[in-house]
Amino acid sequence: MAAPGWFHQALQADVYQLLWEREPSFDVEHVGTDSNAYKWIKNHTAPIAPKGGSMLGARLLDWESHVKAMQVKWLLKYLDASTSTWKLILDCWLARTSLGRAAILSSIPAK
């Protein structure tokens, strides 16, 4: 199950608040955090590591890319030939088609 986009944005805003605010504060009634403390860092450049492997730069984790990578990793684990209990459970759940484990990669609608 994929988390919605608003969740990723709220999490990223909270992380920036925690990293860049001198005295971070979080309101449990709001989703995400509004702060001007990190506005001087460009959002599209903060996760990028600097060229040449130097130790300069923020090197922040791009959360959405990380989540996608973890989803792909678990998909590949499921598709490999090994057998595990959790794979058998997913096999039963996906047994609605004749494709078996390959049903995940198919565009054929489930019946």
Side-chain angles (χ1 to χ4, degrees):
M1 182 172 143
W6 63 264
F7 175 79
H8 294 295
Q9 292 169 355
L11 183 64
Q12 192 70 36
D14 286 345
V15 167
Y16 280 157
Q17 170 81 359
L18 187 62
L19 287 175
W20 303 116
E21 190 69 43
R22 187 168 291 177
E23 293 179 14
S25 62
F26 300 99
D27 186 2
V28 295
E29 298 295 325
H30 291 98
V31 177
T33 304
D34 293 330
S35 175
N36 292 325
Y38 59 88
K39 298 295 183 193
W40 55 274
I41 293 181
K42 302 254 187 253
N43 287 337
H44 66 278
T45 59
I48 300 172
K51 294 180 182 176
S54 67
M55 298 305 289
L56 302 174
R59 295 185 185 213
L60 297 177
L61 177 67
D62 182 1
W63 179 252
E64 289 188 59
S65 297
H66 175 71
V67 169
K68 287 178 185 177
M70 293 301 292
Q71 290 170 341
V72 169
K73 179 180 177 181
W74 279 99
L75 176 67
L76 293 176
K77 278 187 177 189
Y78 175 66
L79 292 175
D80 74 8
S82 65
T83 57
S84 298
T85 307
W86 67 273
K87 289 183 179 184
L88 296 175
I89 293 169
L90 283 178
D91 287 343
C92 289
W93 187 57
L94 294 172
R96 296 176 281 176
T97 67
S98 61
L99 299 174
R101 287 188 184 172
I104 291 177
L105 304 174
S106 173
S107 62
I108 300 172
K111 295 179 182 177

